[in-house]
Amino acid sequence: MTHGEAVQALAGAEIDAHLERRHEETADDGGRRAAELAEGERIGRLLAVTRGPYDPDDDAVVQEELAAEAAAAVARDAEQRDAARASDRADQLQAWHDRGVLEETDPREGDEAARAELTRWASLYVQQDVDAWFAVALGAHRGHYVDPAAREAATALLPAPVLAQAALLSALTRLVPGAGAAELGFAARLTAAAPEAVADLAAFLTRVLPAESRG
């Protein structure tokens, strides 16, 4: 598009905008017309400077828009892949639970998203068992929770009752080293009944523990 062609197109757009105001077209059409007119004005100003044919490859605004669209497409693809992985992992956790081997495994990075997916369709019974699995692993620093950064991230990714149960289990195993999961099964029942009280109890026990055993 040359400068003259741009001016001619702009004039046509101005006429269309005038007719639009006369006939009071819909709001959506009005927004489209206004956008077309503004874009025509911008291209006209650009060609008034370059005096050459219009080339989108040389239009910084167009290139920025294309780059933004490409980045958004990449982000959408990544989000879809993450959702697919979370769904597959949720199916796996469900299968392990049904086979009675969930406790033999450890959480890995990204399992918090799988848990969130699982809560959308799993029964309450399964959810409670999976939450207890997370709490045990988090409290004992198992799986990817051996990394302090992963434990810190879990505070924003797991619900408060799971975090409370994990904190209680952690405090209890420091008070009674060697205590097994079977002995501490009451922690899950207490959490189900009164999660806020469990959080308070965990904080109290942590406070009275010797300093060297609080880590």
Side-chain angles (χ1 to χ4, degrees):
M1 182 184 296
T2 65
H3 179 246
E5 290 170 339
V7 171
Q8 184 176 1
L10 176 59
E14 289 173 335
I15 292 173
D16 288 344
H18 174 68
L19 291 176
E20 174 206 336
R21 289 192 296 271
R22 290 284 302 274
H23 294 290
E24 297 182 352
E25 294 180 3
T26 66
D28 286 344
D29 285 343
R32 179 178 60 81
R33 294 287 190 183
E36 290 176 350
L37 182 57
E39 181 64 4
E41 291 175 343
R42 188 188 67 78
I43 292 175
R45 290 193 299 270
L46 176 64
L47 293 178
V49 174
T50 64
R51 309 303 298 180
Y54 176 72
D55 185 350
D57 290 342
D58 298 328
D59 188 333
V61 172
V62 170
Q63 294 308 308
E64 288 175 2
E65 291 174 351
L66 291 175
E69 290 172 1
V74 170
R76 285 194 300 272
D77 288 344
E79 183 177 347
Q80 290 172 356
R81 288 194 298 270
D82 289 344
R85 281 195 294 268
S87 180
D88 290 344
R89 182 64 169 172
D91 288 340
Q92 189 175 46
L93 295 180
Q94 171 81 64
W96 284 343
H97 174 274
D98 293 345
R99 288 161 48 195
V101 297
L102 181 62
E103 292 75 12
E104 300 173 14
T105 66
D106 290 331
R108 68 188 188 192
E109 184 177 359
D111 275 358
E112 295 87 0
R115 178 202 168 275
E117 174 66 19
L118 195 63
T119 60
R120 295 175 53 193
W121 45 265
S123 68
L124 180 61
Y125 173 68
V126 172
Q127 292 176 35
Q128 290 174 339
D129 286 350
V130 170
D131 281 352
W133 175 70
F134 270 105
V136 169
L138 181 58
H141 302 177
R142 282 171 35 195
H144 78 300
Y145 293 130
V146 70
D147 182 359
R151 298 197 297 273
E152 177 64 25
T155 62
L157 299 172
L158 294 173
V162 174
L163 299 176
Q165 184 178 341
L168 178 59
L169 289 171
S170 180
L172 290 173
T173 53
R174 293 198 297 274
L175 281 170
V176 185
E183 296 177 86
L184 301 176
F186 64 86
R189 297 191 296 273
L190 287 176
T191 303
E196 292 184 0
V198 166
D200 291 341
L201 175 59
F204 177 80
L205 292 176
T206 300
R207 184 159 57 89
V208 301
L209 282 168
E212 61 273 14
S213 64
R214 297 178 188 173

